Amino acid sequence: MAEEKELRYDPATIEPKWQERWAADPTLYAAEPASCGKPKYYVLEMLPYPSGQLHMGHVRNYSIGDALARHMWMRGYNVLHPMGWDAFGLPAENAALKNNTPPREWTLGNIAAMKRQMQRLGLGYDWATEVTTCLPEYYRWNQWFFLRMYEKGLVYRKQSKVNWCPECATVLANEQVVDGRCWRHDDTIVEQRDLEQWFFRITAYAQELLDGLEQLEGWPEKVRTMQRNWIGRSEGTEVDFTVEGSGEKIRVFTTRVDTIFGATSVQLAPEHPLIASFAALDAELKARVDQLIEEQKKAKEAGDIGTIEKHGVPTGRYALNPYNGERVPVWVANYILMDYGTGAIMSVPGHDERDFEFATKYGIAIRRVIAPADPAAEEPALPFTSEDGVLVNSGAYNGLSCAVAEKKLQDEAVKEGFGQATVTFRLKDWGVSRQRYWGTPIPMIHCERDGLVPVPDDQLPVILPAQIEITQQGGSPLGRVPDFVHVTCPRCGGPARRETDTMDTFVDSSWYFYRYTDAGNASAPFNPATAQYWFPIDQYIGGVEHAILHLIYSRFWTKVMRDLGLITNDEPARRLFTQGMVIKDGAKMSKSKGNVVSPDDMVARYGADATRMYALFAAPPDRDLDWQEDGVAGVSRFLGRVWRLVTKYAPVARAAQAAPADSQTGTALLRKLHQTTAKITQDFEGRWHFNTCVAAIMELVNEMQAADAQLAAGEVPAPVVKELLRTLVLLLAPFAPYLAAELWEQLGEEDAILRAPWPVSNPELARENELEIPVQINGKLVTVVRVAADADQKRIEAVALADEKVQARSAGKSIAKVIVVPRKLVNLVVK
RNA sequence: GCGAAAGUGGCGGAAUUGGCAGACGCACCAGACUUAGGAUCUGGCGGGGAAACCCAUGAGGGUUCGAGUCCCUCCUUUCGCACCA
């Protein structure tokens, strides 16, 4: 029978139907101009790398963002919900090598495939604002920004030790090295190489990046802490020790200058420049230092720097402590890092654990110079690292507290010219050069006569040549394209060579979300007025794995753009949400583990709605989610129940007109409906526990189903049925947009459900008029009594005491105390 | 080693401020309908006990009329940091 067939929920027919309708209505998900008068809301999910396949992590990320966007649309906001492609990067080159497909073709093909997947999922993006970072229309602005930053001294070139990933055959920024390994290749140890590289002076913003974290209250504390640690600000003092004989200065950095009278040696990093002059005269020393360098390098590469045993070699030289002229030996030690502070320390074994370990091993003097603040206290064992103490054995500074002494010692250093207070950051400048093809060409020219010459703005973009042979040989692939390399100098017109490094792909993602606000702009990266309207992003959603990388680079970029006068906001995003991972069988999904679940499979078997809704239902969004296919089937069954319920009573609702009348079943259902509405609305505003939102809708549907007999008998007034069904569908719309759209239509609605106002809970209707109050005796549950919702303490107590079970349990005993919590519980303390 | 988060049925999870532990879903069991069911519907489902009841939120203590929730000690897991002077 045709009618029976119609009662089946079939996502395979309704989802493509609506996908087509939505595609035909470009205004549906489009942001409106500022003049629309609605409050704006910018919801953004991190843009994907176009690998060619969405994975479940994407599905989860986008399901969260899409639910929020749809909710905000229904709340009447002007919503910007864009999507784009982080389209430069190494996999395209690897694919080119493997399949002989040009990177551009491969990438654009993947984008098309993933876009189809997104559309199949029913994600509501404004594709008119789509951004693809590998297209010249986009990357020319990377070049433009590079030049502006160059003009401001925020871009420079220097020879330095860099992280080299042999797998990527290019350098990596510090942020892209995790435990000595490449962030993309867990099993590839990063080597140190000496290369001339381009850097962004992110350290110029170190303090501001740190201070700004305080204001980012809408960011997870975890991310803020990670950034704080990464920036690694530390206050201290730099002091010069003078090398005896030569007069050379060794500048040390210390956070504990108050302990300087306890310095019994000076320790240099193996790569300290001064060692060269020592070693020139001493071949044996040179050999031993080289060995230390080698060891340190290996430890760094293996990621266990920090755990290797401390050792070092004496240089045979001595240095003089500028405060008291004391002569101390100069050593080279493997635990001193050249790239932190000054690469040299004063070693105070009495008050530093590392120095203590080292001094004990080599028999270097250990001296106590700090005593506990409390003179009655027992002398603590060394090393005593507390800063709560007073100086001893410290000449004129004896008796001062550590804090006061530090200040006085710094003043003295300034006065005498051998040092000063300083602030050191762990954050290093961002190395952006990559010796790769598939990235933004760096817009600089090397002229024999004029040196470094920026490409003039009117010659932008520097186009990445299309015809290129990707090979595995080292060096920048662009260097092998003569047409690209050989240019005339824009300044003198003479022969010159174009820079062949390309930019780190994190440059692309540092500002892409500004481009969304004005994606078609051909004369500027974006219109400042439009950006000012939309920024900051109201809600940014992505994985926590970018806590240091993308999220610190994009904060930096925002500050640079602000200082260029392009924007007025200090931070890119007001709120950040980091969703948990999707795991299966207790492990992160990965090809090597063979536990990957394909979104396409899920969509084909259960539909996009069930797949998305399961992603929201299976766990709160901030926690890891265990993918269980049976769970998707369960959600799919639930959607089927909704389908049958709504289609069954849609004719009643369509015919209904008058205002709700009184009906016992009707009011109970209405109460549940309004309670559910309130719960979900509240969750969107704060908690984001979409798993319990879905559960709440399930409860509502269960109750409606339980009332099926009354509904079928027409005992529930038609207007009530109408409100029940309409609101149910509206509540479902952010989570299961296809089904909601279909049922909305079946309810006789003509306009898109997305344009319908979000339901408002009426507290009057939501209120319970009778409550079940648990009654305890000595904290143990005895019974539950029913009382009117507005019953006062006395009334509740009376009802509880009158209860049979309570009477039986308390018979013959005295009631010492009665605790009544209105609307909650009664507890009798009985002896 | 330091820091953070977490630990609740067979499983995913719920319990928003200290107030009925286990909502909702999965799996499982029983039943109904059915030519059939991986469809649908009904009921059951933490452990012990015939029952009344008792026990139970990683372990042990504490505060409280009352603790999954607060405090202390410990265990386990995950994540982040890890010679940063």
Side-chain angles (χ1 to χ4, degrees):
Chain A
M1 243 161 90
E3 204 188 68
E4 261 181 14
K5 200 174 179 195
E6 217 170 307
L7 283 176
R8 259 197 68 200
Y9 165 57
D10 183 20
T13 55
I14 60 174
E15 293 185 355
K17 166 184 158 187
W18 286 96
Q19 196 184 322
E20 216 168 284
R21 290 233 206 144
W22 293 339
D25 180 2
T27 65
L28 190 60
Y29 302 123
E32 296 174 58
S35 57
C36 72
K38 297 175 186 172
K40 71 94 183 178
Y41 197 85
Y42 188 173
V43 54
L44 180 70
E45 298 113 56
M46 289 181 185
L47 87 176
Y49 176 77
S51 62
Q53 276 285 316
L54 285 184
H55 55 68
M56 278 304 172
H58 291 128
V59 172
R60 188 178 195 198
N61 187 184
Y62 307 149
S63 298
I64 296 167
D66 200 47
L68 179 64
R70 285 173 188 276
H71 174 75
M72 295 313 278
W73 265 308
M74 293 171 78
R75 292 282 288 269
Y77 284 80
N78 180 21
V79 176
L80 176 59
H81 188 218
M83 186 41 71
W85 312 98
D86 188 14
F88 270 138
L90 205 51
E93 289 182 54
N94 294 337
L97 262 176
K98 214 167 139 190
N99 322 320
N100 207 24
T101 319
R104 182 186 155 98
E105 215 174 276
W106 183 82
T107 304
L108 295 181
N110 287 349
I111 288 173
M114 288 172 80
K115 192 167 170 179
R116 272 197 304 276
Q117 287 182 298
M118 287 180 178
Q119 285 167 334
R120 181 63 190 86
L121 280 166
L123 299 166
Y125 296 123
D126 182 358
W127 290 107
T129 66
E130 181 178 3
V131 163
T132 303
T133 63
C134 67
L135 299 179
E137 293 76 26
Y138 183 80
Y139 71 67
R140 73 173 291 173
W141 301 112
N142 285 345
Q143 296 170 340
W144 185 87
F145 278 121
F146 188 100
L147 295 172
R148 299 291 83 77
M149 286 163 75
Y150 183 72
E151 288 159 7
K152 295 203 83 170
L154 292 170
V155 170
Y156 66 97
R157 195 170 157 79
K158 78 168 183 203
Q159 178 89 17
S160 78
K161 283 249 177 306
V162 293
N163 311 297
W164 178 271
C165 172
E167 193 65 32
C168 300
T170 188
V171 300
L172 301 174
N174 291 330
E175 290 79 4
Q176 293 152 23
V177 180
V178 181
D179 290 337
R181 285 144 203 272
C182 173
W183 71 295
R184 309 193 73 112
H185 304 104
D186 285 357
D187 43 7
T188 306
I189 289 171
V190 171
E191 299 166 5
Q192 300 296 305
R193 286 200 184 178
D194 233 352
L195 277 178
E196 182 137 14
Q197 296 288 297
W198 290 97
F199 288 88
F200 285 159
R201 208 180 292 280
I202 191 172
T203 54
Y205 289 89
Q207 187 65 50
E208 208 199 322
L209 287 166
L210 182 67
D211 293 342
L213 292 172
E214 301 305 317
Q215 317 306 319
L216 291 176
E217 283 163 10
W219 284 39
E221 195 49 53
K222 181 183 163 103
V223 173
R224 295 202 282 170
T225 304
M226 284 168 74
Q227 292 210 357
R228 231 174 258 128
N229 292 341
W230 187 258
I231 295 166
R233 182 184 200 270
S234 111
E235 288 181 16
T237 313
E238 286 185 6
V239 178
D240 290 331
F241 280 64
T242 308
V243 179
E244 193 182 49
S246 73
E248 289 162 304
K249 306 282 191 210
I250 301 174
R251 173 150 284 211
V252 304
F253 173 72
T254 178
T255 54
R256 291 298 304 276
V257 72
D258 54 304
T259 66
I260 197 164
F261 285 81
T264 53
S265 68
V266 166
Q267 302 286 344
L268 303 179
E271 283 156 319
H272 197 282
L274 208 53
I275 292 169
S277 73
F278 294 171
L281 310 167
D282 184 345
E284 199 202 322
L285 176 63
K286 182 169 179 354
R288 296 182 66 181
V289 170
D290 285 347
Q291 210 185 327
L292 284 181
I293 292 176
E294 197 51 39
E295 268 174 31
Q296 214 182 34
K297 204 170 122 184
K298 276 207 185 114
K300 209 170 176 183
E301 287 174 358
D304 39 59
I305 197 143
T307 53
I308 53 171
E309 198 189 336
K310 293 175 185 38
H311 62 252
V313 284
T315 62
R317 307 301 176 100
Y318 288 81
L320 304 176
N321 183 332
Y323 287 99
N324 58 6
E326 185 179 354
R327 185 171 173 271
V328 298
V330 179
W331 285 63
V332 183
N334 67 342
Y335 71 101
I336 310 302
L337 307 172
M338 191 57 225
D339 56 10
Y340 185 78
T342 59
I345 64 151
M346 61 176 202
S347 176
V348 185
H351 303 280
D352 181 282
E353 281 176 24
R354 297 152 300 178
D355 295 345
F356 184 85
E357 192 186 326
F358 190 87
T360 308
K361 177 166 176 175
Y362 289 103
I364 298 171
I366 299 170
R367 189 185 305 151
R368 179 187 300 275
V369 290
I370 306 291
D374 175 6
E378 210 177 304
E379 278 221 326
L382 297 180
F384 174 57
T385 58
S386 168
E387 285 176 62
D388 182 21
V390 294
L391 276 66
V392 294
N393 299 324
S394 298
Y397 298 90
N398 280 341
L400 296 178
S401 71
C402 290
V404 171
E406 180 180 33
K407 186 78 186 66
K408 291 209 170 199
L409 286 156
Q410 287 171 341
D411 290 346
E412 167 90 6
V414 171
K415 200 172 122 211
E416 301 297 327
F418 59 74
Q420 79 271 319
T422 56
V423 174
T424 297
F425 292 95
R426 203 182 84 118
L427 180 74
K428 295 284 171 293
D429 279 337
W430 175 11
V432 293
S433 290
R434 296 293 178 272
Q435 292 70 44
R436 305 301 326 169
Y437 163 67
W438 195 233
T440 304
I442 290 176
M444 296 296 284
I445 288 166
H446 304 267
C447 172
E448 279 168 36
R449 224 192 68 164
D450 297 317
L452 277 173
V453 181
V455 173
D457 280 5
D458 60 12
Q459 290 178 24
L460 295 183
V462 176
I463 299 269
L464 202 53
Q467 294 303 317
I468 186 155
E469 201 196 339
I470 307 281
T471 65
Q472 233 152 3
Q473 54 188 291
S476 184
L478 287 175
R480 295 188 291 271
V481 183
D483 286 355
F484 181 82
V485 176
H486 301 300
V487 288
T488 53
C489 171
R491 203 162 285 165
C492 70
R497 201 173 52 77
R498 195 184 285 287
E499 171 64 58
T500 57
D501 281 354
T502 51
M503 295 184 206
D504 183 3
T505 58
F506 279 101
V507 169
D508 309 324
S509 54
S510 289
W511 68 280
Y512 75 101
F513 33 66
Y514 290 92
R515 184 71 180 172
Y516 283 142
T517 64
D518 193 15
N521 198 322
S523 56
F526 52 84
N527 178 339
T530 314
Q532 181 160 9
Y533 171 73
W534 286 109
F535 272 81
I537 296 161
D538 294 280
Q539 183 67 61
Y540 198 16
I541 307 167
V544 74
E545 64 273 15
H546 287 110
I548 307 295
L549 294 153
H550 163 61
L551 289 170
I552 211 160
Y553 294 142
S554 50
R555 290 184 61 221
F556 160 65
W557 209 278
T558 286
K559 290 173 195 304
V560 171
M561 292 199 304
R562 178 203 58 200
D563 291 347
L564 288 170
L566 290 169
I567 52 173
T568 53
N569 50 300
D570 295 318
E571 295 286 347
R574 199 190 308 276
R575 287 167 53 85
L576 171 71
F577 187 88
T578 51
Q579 92 268 6
M581 285 189 309
V582 180
I583 58 177
K584 175 133 199 298
D585 309 326
K588 190 178 174 176
M589 285 188 189
S590 74
K591 274 185 202 150
S592 58
K593 293 202 187 71
N595 61 349
V596 176
V597 178
S598 143
D600 284 348
D601 266 17
M602 289 296 120
V603 171
R605 292 160 85 162
Y606 305 101
D609 279 341
T611 304
R612 293 174 53 162
M613 198 152 158
Y614 175 73
L616 296 174
F617 176 62
D622 55 327
R623 292 245 292 260
D624 284 352
L625 181 156
D626 191 45
W627 194 272
Q628 297 183 1
E629 193 171 327
D630 285 338
V632 188
V635 170
S636 170
R637 277 198 290 271
F638 164 71
L639 293 176
R641 288 209 301 278
V642 174
W643 168 267
R644 284 190 298 276
L645 182 74
V646 176
T647 51
K648 185 171 177 186
Y649 295 108
V652 179
R654 274 203 302 269
Q657 271 163 13
D662 200 28
S663 151
Q664 202 50 46
T665 313
T667 46
L669 288 176
L670 274 181
R671 187 181 310 124
K672 185 71 179 174
L673 183 77
H674 282 263
Q675 287 170 349
T676 308
T677 304
K679 189 250 178 306
I680 294 171
T681 306
Q682 219 176 347
D683 249 300
F684 267 111
E685 282 163 4
R687 257 184 11 143
W688 276 32
H689 279 197
F690 299 132
N691 55 328
T692 60
C693 290
V694 174
I697 297 174
M698 288 174 170
E699 282 186 52
L700 173 65
V701 170
N702 288 348
E703 280 202 20
M704 286 165 74
Q705 231 179 336
D708 187 62
Q710 289 96 316
L711 286 164
E715 287 168 24
V716 181
V720 174
V721 173
K722 182 172 186 169
E723 187 185 344
L724 287 169
L725 298 187
R726 268 180 55 100
T727 306
L728 168 64
V729 171
L730 288 168
L731 292 176
L732 209 55
F735 310 111
Y738 283 118
L739 178 61
E742 176 66 23
L743 294 177
W744 191 242
E745 188 181 56
Q746 297 211 14
L747 286 171
E749 300 286 346
E750 279 167 16
D751 203 3
I753 190 167
L754 206 60
R755 298 198 179 99
W758 183 254
V760 176
S761 172
N762 179 343
E764 287 292 312
L765 292 173
R767 197 171 53 218
E768 298 281 356
N769 39 33
E770 211 179 32
L771 294 175
E772 292 192 333
I773 305 282
V775 181
Q776 301 178 333
I777 289 181
N778 295 337
K780 294 203 168 153
L781 182 71
V782 171
T783 188
V784 174
V785 295
R786 295 191 69 88
V787 297
D790 56 0
D792 62 9
Q793 290 204 13
K794 269 189 181 160
R795 172 78 194 140
I796 298 170
E797 183 176 336
V799 172
L801 288 173
D803 183 88
E804 273 178 34
K805 280 191 175 170
V806 173
Q807 295 265 329
R809 293 281 208 107
S810 58
K813 296 173 184 161
S814 71
I815 295 172
K817 197 173 172 187
V818 180
I819 291 134
V820 179
V821 184
R823 302 181 65 85
K824 289 281 186 197
L825 127 165
V826 176
N827 189 15
L828 307 174
V829 185
V830 169
K831 284 180 191 156

